[in-house]
Amino acid sequence: MATLPEIRTHSSHTQLAATSHDAVVAVYAASADVLALSQAPYASWAAAAAPFRQIDKDFGKTIALIPAPSVGGSRLVLSPIDSLDDDTDDVRKIFDAVKGGVARAIEAGARRPAIHLSPLPAAANTVPDADYSRWVEMALLAALDASYVTLVVREHRQATAGSAAVTEHLHSIDLVVEGVAEAELFSAVRRATAIEGGRRLALDMGYGDPERMTPHKCAETIRKTVADIPQVEFELITDLDVIKREYPLLYHSARASLSEKRTWPCVVKLEYRSPEPAKVKEHLYLVGKGVTYDTGGISLKIGGSMRGMSRDKLGACGVAGFAVATGLLREPTVDLSCVLAFERNSIGPNSLLPDEVVCSRAGVRVLINDTDAEGRLVMTDPVAECRERILAERAAGSSVPAAIYTVATLTGHVIRAYGWYGATVANGPARRGKYDRRLAAAGLAYGDPFENSIMRREDHAFVRARTDREDVYQSNSQPSSLTDRGHQYPAAFIIKAAGLDKHSLAAGADAAIPFVHVDIAGSAEDGNEPGLGLCAITGSPVATFAGAFWSA
């Protein structure tokens, strides 16, 4: 994982030394027209901008780079935000403005930009579906995102250019935020750099192609990353006999990949323990889908739909990233237990077949109808394991609240339903505790909005067995995007196949286990295909989970 740029914070532009930076990126609400102000530093900026304003009536409405002798490097980048208080405005506008402005500075040759954030307009806080409470963190995350160079590019540059390779676009960042106390800035930097550390693990793995990031290479990347984080323990399960016994649905889904050792499945476990156990308020059990390539198996993807399936591991990448971020921050209020199921869903003579009945870890007989619905299979047995662990902890006397979350790029249906947004689907105990709404609220603050879908009786009815030959149907034989409630009913399958149906509201408060399925098929990528290339990866839901589960 590349080292982050050095970050310095300032509560006033007067604290900024001209020698410390080689560009200024000014981010402001266009309605404020900061270039009309007379006080420093705006007066000198206005003087530099005056010739451009005279010849361009649209000047100040889009990103502009102008020469300004009064700033370091003589580079002044103006990055306005058209509004922050309209119906659908939210903190992503700040993120976009900062990232765009910093990217422009980098294109101009800057490596040490100073980012000047003007105060938020008071009206911004009146937008009902926006939360600007983390706007400084979002600004810094945007700058770090612009600075990031993917692992595959870093490796290529190092192989071709050696020590001259550019592996990070920025050397340093000066962050100037008017009217914000130094202590608040320090806290924002601390949280943002921890989040970015986790995001970068998720992005490094996520951008890796199917051979660069096979199941075992994903595991090795995680191992190297957590090696220097004392609070995070790493465990790797590669023994096929163990996987077959402990995670039978994963094993059978991966059968076709067993012909090549490099594509064998594996299970990564990460344990984070708070450095202050007395402050722990909850224990999160996180399960990530890590399908490093999805051919669909014997239910082969056709018509070009296999393209981009190296991204089917982003759920596991996101969970690993959040564990790393939490370890970097040394967050005191949570413990984490993460299970990441990695496989390549290959096709071959030993493929899992529709019509097979496979028994899950929880002893539930699963009728396979579509091998391309492998994500729910690889996560179900880890969910059953988490259920067992929660029950054991309760039996041993633990009173720490516990909940299970699955994170996966699971369905195309969620994109059909919501576009490039993620969705939560929660069971009754989680809905009662508003666990899903907690994620939605955190997503608003961190520019990763989630929709809260609701599980209905039809979802459970859809997968309920109708014969005595099986206990649950894995899916139908149609793509999720062509199936009613295609992103909701898979959560009902996981609940049944993992034995969580015994821990619903009807089981009573002492036996109930909150469960939230998080489908990030929409939010894991930005939806903007660059020509014939693949979309950019966002790192979702690392920041959202940080907002939901870290203390203020």
Side-chain angles (χ1 to χ4, degrees), residues 215-216 237-238 240 243 250 254 257-258 263-267 342-343:
H216 286 229
I237 301 173
T238 60
L240 293 181
I243 293 174
L250 166 63
S257 71
L258 303 183
T263 61
W264 282 6
C266 64
V267 175
F342 288 103
E343 70 148 357

Side-chain angles (χ1 to χ4, degrees), residues 208-215 217 262-263 292-293 310 344:
D209 67 46
E211 288 299 312
R212 177 60 186 87
M213 286 296 168
T214 62
K217 288 181 179 178
R262 77 181 195 284
T263 61
T292 61
Y293 200 80
S310 61
R344 180 184 289 188

